[in-house]
Amino acid sequence: MAVSNNSELTIVLAESSAGAPQMGSELGSRAILNSGLLKALRDHFKQVHICEISAKPSLEEDHDHAGMKRPRTVSKATQSIHELVYSHTQQGRLVLTLGGDHSNAIGTLTATTGAFNSKHDRRPAVICVDAHVSINPPEASPSGNIHGMPLAFATGLATSQEKGIFDWIQQNHLIDMKKMVYIGTRDVDDEERKLIQQNGIKFFDMNDIKKHGIDSVASMALEYVGEQTPIHLSCDIDALDPEWAPSAGHLVPGGLSLQEGELVVRRVHETGNLIAMDLVEVNPTINVDGVERTVNSACALVRGAFGLSV
Ligand SMILES: [Mn+2]
């Protein structure tokens, strides 16, 4: 049984790179949308709504706080994303958020969880396709960049009571760590590994994928989240091997082939339970010769997740 009406899509252009050490990913959303994807989505859905959120850091006022860089800018951008995604999810629309850096997922993940909690009294599953686990609490983050922390804030493993710094996140926005699965991980910090183990978070790293094959891993991940569970699919383009996505913020060799990535998102589509998708970290200012290839890969993942033909 489908969990949303599947005929209306909201596209959120999350044009903020304040969570990343370098700028450029704020240009990713439009690069992806304007490469033919918008037309394809408009042909596929009865209605397509487009919203945009951008964030300009005011560096002189946004000093570091508790191990976080540009915390007020990122908090404000993600709160705006949260409010948008929350409202569109509550109206039964599918939501596609195009980043921007990975910190934007703080807004999307808390929004779908909050909306489903308030309307249906149940929390969605979250499938993260990422080279990283992106769950560093600020105090353990080696860099202080919030794009390494989205799952820490979205699960409540990291919290902040400081005014203007993620103080908008409420208990009923927090994702269920028992319904969370990572696919494609291969670059995990020691502290993150501890958190994953302590909290029993499921993951399928690249070794698991080599061992079992991507089709079995997709089956195991979907079986884990359960048949009637709404799914928020959160994709960092760096899950793909740099061969397929060279214009990404943090390249890690040994990743998924595009074909493997497409298989995962299509399997999620086939459940009929997809409620939202994030696609983050496409950065058109990195490896400019590879931008077209990266954008094409991003589009292929979006098309697969929403069941568009290839
Ligand atoms: Mn990543």
Side-chain angles (χ1 to χ4, degrees), residues 102 130-132 134 236 238:
H102 206 159
D130 187 357
H132 309 94
S134 311
D236 182 332
D238 72 24

Side-chain angles (χ1 to χ4, degrees), residues 4-77:
S4 79
N5 69 27
N6 285 331
S7 66
E8 288 188 46
L9 175 74
T10 296
I11 302 170
V12 177
L13 301 171
E15 297 174 307
S16 170
S17 59
Q22 78 279 53
M23 291 184 69
S25 66
E26 74 281 3
L27 305 169
S29 358
R30 273 176 207 279
I32 299 167
L33 195 64
N34 294 340
S35 63
L37 183 65
L38 179 58
K39 188 186 177 306
L41 291 169
R42 280 200 166 125
D43 290 345
H44 185 79
F45 289 98
K46 209 164 92 188
Q47 249 190 312
V48 175
H49 311 263
I50 303 178
C51 315
E52 56 190 291
I53 297 289
S54 59
K56 299 271 179 292
S58 45
L59 292 173
E60 60 284 358
E61 288 157 33
D62 199 358
H63 49 86
D64 293 4
H65 174 78
M68 290 178 271
K69 290 179 179 156
R70 295 172 292 282
R72 294 159 196 83
T73 309
V74 177
S75 176
K76 201 172 157 208

Side-chain angles (χ1 to χ4, degrees), residues 133-142 148-150 152-153 158 189 191-192 195:
V133 286
S134 311
I135 200 165
N136 253 319
E139 62 275 14
S141 164
M149 312 175 189
F153 281 103
D189 296 336
E191 180 65 21
E192 291 184 308
L195 283 173

Side-chain angles (χ1 to χ4, degrees), residues 6 9 32 37 40-41 44-45 94 96 98 129 222 231 233 235 240 258-279 295-310:
N6 285 331
L9 175 74
I32 299 167
L37 183 65
L41 291 169
H44 185 79
F45 289 98
L94 289 166
L96 167 64
L98 300 173
V129 184
L222 291 171
I231 298 173
L233 178 62
C235 298
L240 297 184
L258 177 58
Q259 202 181 6
E260 289 171 322
E262 284 184 279
L263 185 138
V264 171
V265 297
R266 288 205 180 266
R267 290 290 306 277
V268 172
H269 168 73
E270 284 162 13
T271 65
N273 292 332
L274 183 69
I275 55 162
M277 179 188 195
D278 312 324
L279 200 290
V295 166
N296 286 344
S297 297
C299 289
L301 295 182
V302 173
R303 295 175 77 100
F306 291 108
L308 276 64
S309 56
V310 280

Side-chain angles (χ1 to χ4, degrees), residues 62-269:
D62 199 358
H63 49 86
D64 293 4
H65 174 78
M68 290 178 271
K69 290 179 179 156
R70 295 172 292 282
R72 294 159 196 83
T73 309
V74 177
S75 176
K76 201 172 157 208
T78 52
Q79 183 176 10
S80 304
I81 292 166
H82 170 93
E83 285 164 4
L84 260 179
V85 175
Y86 189 103
S87 137
H88 286 262
T89 301
Q90 266 212 327
Q91 293 170 67
R93 293 172 182 156
L94 289 166
V95 180
L96 167 64
T97 301
L98 300 173
D101 76 74
H102 206 159
S103 69
N104 293 297
I106 297 172
T108 65
L109 294 167
T110 54
T112 52
T113 300
F116 266 77
N117 247 343
S118 76
K119 199 173 176 186
H120 307 282
D121 199 23
R122 59 175 175 161
R123 291 188 284 180
V126 174
I127 298 181
C128 297
V129 184
D130 187 357
H132 309 94
V133 286
S134 311
I135 200 165
N136 253 319
E139 62 275 14
S141 164
S143 71
N145 294 308
I146 302 175
H147 77 158
M149 312 175 189
L151 274 306
F153 281 103
T155 53
L157 290 173
T159 54
S160 163
Q161 264 76 53
E162 182 77 7
K163 191 170 180 330
I165 303 180
F166 302 116
D167 54 339
W168 56 268
I169 300 175
Q170 294 167 19
Q171 196 63 33
N172 67 343
H173 298 158
L174 300 177
I175 66 179
D176 183 349
M177 287 188 271
K178 295 281 180 269
K179 288 201 244 166
M180 228 180 110
V181 188
Y182 289 105
I183 298 176
T185 48
R186 56 195 185 276
D187 184 9
V188 180
D189 296 336
D190 290 343
E191 180 65 21
E192 291 184 308
R193 195 173 298 280
K194 259 189 249 164
L195 283 173
I196 297 289
Q197 281 163 357
Q198 280 165 3
N199 293 288
I201 299 172
K202 192 82 174 162
F203 70 94
F204 296 97
D205 63 19
M206 288 309 297
N207 288 331
D208 295 318
I209 292 166
K210 281 190 196 102
K211 190 171 159 194
H212 302 289
I214 192 68
D215 200 38
S216 301
V217 164
S219 299
M220 288 188 274
L222 291 171
E223 197 176 316
Y224 180 76
V225 305
E227 264 181 24
Q228 301 294 321
T229 315
I231 298 173
H232 185 137
L233 178 62
S234 198
C235 298
D236 182 332
I237 196 70
D238 72 24
L240 297 184
D241 191 86
E243 186 193 340
W244 296 100
S247 300
H250 193 159
L251 301 174
V252 191
L256 298 171
S257 68
L258 177 58
Q259 202 181 6
E260 289 171 322
E262 284 184 279
L263 185 138
V264 171
V265 297
R266 288 205 180 266
R267 290 290 306 277
V268 172
H269 168 73

